[in-house]
Structures are given as C-alpha cells and as structure tokens.
DNA sequence: GTGGTCTAGACCACC
DNA sequence: GTGGTCTAGACCACG
C-alpha cells in the first residue's frame, strides 16, 4: 500500500494520512492485525517530518483503529471501533447530500451518480487479497 | 431559505456559508437571478461579522456562482459555471470513495448506501417550486 | 455611436461612460462641436439613472472634453485639453508596461503585441467619416 | 524585488500588490518556485495591515499564480496558469485600444507609441538573470 | 515560525 | 441603501 501526500492540500498532512489508512481498512486493504510501517519509516518514505506521522498514528490509536505494542510496532486493531449509529448516520446523510449537490452542479443525473458509486465500490473491494502488505 | 452556522464546526464559517448556498443552487432552491441578502443583513441574521459573510460571497463570485452589482446587491449568476469535466469528475470520484469508506466503517452495505442516497435525492429535489427573492 | 454599459463591471458606470466618450474623441469618431445626447436621453437609452450620466458629463466638462450650453445642449469641446506632457507620458509608460506584462502572461511575443496594436490602430482610425452622429 | 505602494492611488492596495507581483512574474523577475515574503513580513515592510497583503496573496492563489504551503510559506506557482485564449485576447484588445486612445489624446503618433513600447520591452526583459528567493 | 480565520469597527464610492 | 476596502488586533492549527 502506498500513501499519497499533497503538502499543498487544504487538509493537514496528518489528516491525509489518517484518512487514507481508515479508507484502506474500510476497503479491506488493511485487515485486523496487519502491521503498519513505523512512524519513522513512513515519514522517510513520504519525506515529511516524523512528528507529523506520529500525530496521525496517535489520533488513529485514540479512535481505536490501530494499536501500538512497545518494542513490536503498530498494528491494525483487532476489534475495530463500533460505529455510533446515531451520529455516524447523520454525518453520512450530510455527506451524501453534499455528494449529490456537487454532482448536480457538475451536470450529472442521479443515475449517473449511482453508476459512479458502483465503479468506486468495485475498486475498493477488488483488492481483497494482497493482505500482508505493510503500509 | 435559512442558513445554519455552527461556529464550532471544523469547517470555517465562510465555507459553511459557501457550501449551503451552492447546495441551494444545486437543489433548485436558489435560481439564476435570485437576490441574496446583503452581506450585512446576512451577518446580522447569523450573528457573525460582516466580513465573514463578505468573504464567502467574494469566493462564490470568484467561482462564478453569484454576481455582484455595486449599489444594487448580490444575485445568483445568470450563467452558472460550466463544470470542468476533468477536474470535477476526479473530485467527485474521490468524494464517492470517501463516502463509501465512511459507510463501510459504519457497517452499512453498498445497497444501504444507495438507499440512503435515494432518500437524500428526494429531499433535495422536492422543493423545486415557489421562491422569488432573498436567501 | 453606441455606448455599451456593463453594470457588473468593476469600473463605475459613470467612468465607463467617460472612458468611451474620450476614446471616441481620441479615435476621431467624435469631433469638436459634435452634439451629445442630453444626459436624460442617454440615461433612457442606457437604462440607468440620469444622475449617473450627469456625473459623467460633469467630470468630462471639468476635464475640458465637453462643453455645456444652457438651453442648447452638450457638445464636444472646441479646443480639446492639451496634454500635460510630464504626467501623461508617465501614465502612458505605466500602461504600456502593464499591457506588455499582460501580453507576456498570455503567451504573446513582443512582435505579436505590435501586430495587435496595429489592428487596433486601423479600427480606431478607419471610421473617420460618419461625423454628424450623436452619442 | 521591492514593491511600491501608493495608498492614495485609485487602485486598491491589494490590487497594487497583485499587479506588481504578476508583472514581476511576467518579466522574469520572479520564477516558478521562488519564495515570497510571508504576508506578515511584507505587511511590515510596506507598513500596511497583514490582512491586506493576505488578500492579495489569496487572490493570486485563486488565479493560479502562487501556491501556499501551510507552515512553509508562499511560492510562485510551478505551473503558471495557461492563458484562456478567448477571454484573454479580448481583454488585451481592449487594453490596447485604451492605450492608443490615451496616447492619441496626449498627442502621440502611432509610431511614437510603438517606440515607447519598445523601450518598455527592453526594461522588462533586461533583468532576466540572478534572483533566488524572497520578494 | 507559517498560514487560516474571525472580530468590530471604520471610511469610501456608487446608485 | 449597496458593495469595497482597510485596520489592528486576536486566536487557532500546522510543522
């Protein structure tokens, strides 16, 4: 798995890292127990400050997505955090609304949005094999 | 139309305003030529600084969504900006990917996501009738 | 001669009027003694407030480009204002610099700029006949 | 590079800054990747409010001339915005027309205008060598 | 240190 | 009344 960082992006770098790792977990690219690169290794690979990666890992750990074992490394959590049905659904609704608004401004129809979603779905789930990769 | 601002939101206030106005345009709530509240009026209504609203209006104008006429007011643009097929589609794809990742983490299936999208679609398009002036 | 007003332009309307009239004089379209529309007529034709046209005429008169004769109307001045060699040349130099900078950013070469200037020159001077038109 | 601001100028200060920076880019004084002063430093140097410089930087970024990286600074864009052949040419034509009208009112001939343009061209292009960082 | 946002108030030009 | 600009200060997040 290869992370892509854009320093000029509005989203802070540590958030870009968090987002990509959680997306990889959601898409099945990273499974429970998979080992992540150490924050030092990852910072070298991405050519950014180690503190930045550390911050991303710290927050991911606080959220329950990853677990750190002193002396062994960092791993995808065994039990992924259960969703808070209420708040999460509301956020999902909002994001769905935004996606639709954005699509309509771009001239797409509802059916085309669903189509696009289906393509994306296929991409996210087709790489369910390559499992023991590191981040 | 009533804007809702959350000062505690991670998204800057001026962006919240921009988002809600563009969504209103996308959903048909605001049509070409419709007059917006003056940035002063809107700032009073939202209990925020006038400059904050003005910044939102300025950026929306730079993006081509609204037009401003000195001494007369601010209006939804007559010709809304045509989508840039390339960049826009790519951004849409990214957002679709994020929506799916978020939904999967929340335990939803693909079909449930499509369902949720359909509900949202109905809401966005059902208020396509009356409305003449003012935000 | 037909004036074109764009209310959304950054330049104030009364300045748009001033600019177009002085350009018409410079280009030979309007000669000394030519009669202008009354500010009321012009305001009707342009669908703007009479005060706005009045302001443009007032400033043009203060600058010496036009003359008002009570009860008869407004005319292009018999003796056009002589340039202030110093200040005017400096402003010209600045504008020349800006034109070049703008052209270079647009990818043109110096020769192409001169070419473009020549076309413009032809247009400005070829309509030296139609003289007795009103504004 | 030294910016010169005239608070009494009709052109807003932030526009004066924008203009001088784009001209410096067009003239080769500022190259892609060159670092600009932080908006705070520049505001001190020019003795104006930081927000005023920031507004200039923001608009230049929206136009694609400069890029900003959080925590690192602001830089001349790697890929300068490609000209929009249509709109840009039309604006150039207008400005050429205005330059000629202004010159004719000042009593110059067409050849003298071209001469003046040639001088300006030399000035703009002769400082195409050294310069690494800072505005 | 950097940029990002926001405030509360001011003054101006335009219509 | 409208929008346009500017100030002087504040607080925050990021690296």
């Amino acid at each position: 798995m290869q992370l892509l960082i854009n320093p000029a992006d509005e989203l802070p770098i540590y958030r870009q890292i968090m987002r990509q790792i959680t997306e990889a977990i959601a898409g099945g690219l990273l499974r429970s127990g998979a080992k992540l690169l150490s924050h030092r290794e990852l910072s070298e690979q991405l050519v950014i400050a180690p503190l930045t990666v550390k911050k991303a890992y710290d927050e991911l750990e606080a959220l329950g997505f990853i677990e750190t074992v002193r002396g062994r490394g960092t791993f995808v959590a065994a039990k992924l955090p259960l969703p808070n049905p209420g708040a999460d659904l509301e956020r999902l609704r909002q994001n769905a609304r935004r996606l639709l608004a954005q699509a309509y401004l771009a001239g797409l129809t509802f059916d085309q949005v669903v189509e696009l979603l289906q393509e994306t779905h296929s991409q996210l789930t087709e790489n369910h094999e390559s499992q023991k990769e590191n981040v």
Side-chain angles (χ1 to χ4, degrees), chain A residues 38-131:
Chain A
S38 78
H39 74 267
R40 263 176 258 268
E41 286 172 322
L42 186 50
S43 73
E44 271 185 41
Q45 182 186 311
L46 301 179
V47 196
I48 57 180
L51 253 181
T52 304
V53 180
K54 183 74 165 42
K55 179 164 186 180
Y57 277 20
D58 284 350
E59 305 237 339
L60 283 172
E61 183 160 21
L63 292 174
F65 287 103
I66 66 180
E67 291 166 343
T68 295
V69 185
R70 264 225 325 272
R72 299 220 21 245
T74 307
F75 305 84
V76 176
K79 333 178 16 176
L80 289 171
L82 284 182
N84 172 335
D88 273 14
L89 235 184
E90 199 35 55
R91 270 178 44 220
L92 265 180
R93 261 184 228 291
Q94 275 201 7
N95 288 341
R97 215 180 79 237
R98 281 166 199 161
L99 185 71
L100 281 181
Q102 193 188 354
Y104 294 160
L105 285 175
L108 273 70
T109 67
F110 179 75
D111 289 342
Q112 288 176 310
V113 175
V114 173
E115 220 174 288
L116 187 148
L117 221 61
Q118 240 147 4
E119 292 173 28
T120 314
H121 171 67
S122 310
Q123 286 171 23
L124 268 179
T125 50
E126 72 189 359
N127 19 25
H128 261 249
E129 56 275 24
S130 57
Q131 220 44 33

Side-chain angles (χ1 to χ4, degrees), chain A residues 5-17:
Chain A
I5 295 304
N6 175 12
D9 195 299
E10 183 185 21
L11 199 70
I13 293 176
Y14 82 98
R15 290 264 197 170
Q16 294 182 43
I17 297 174

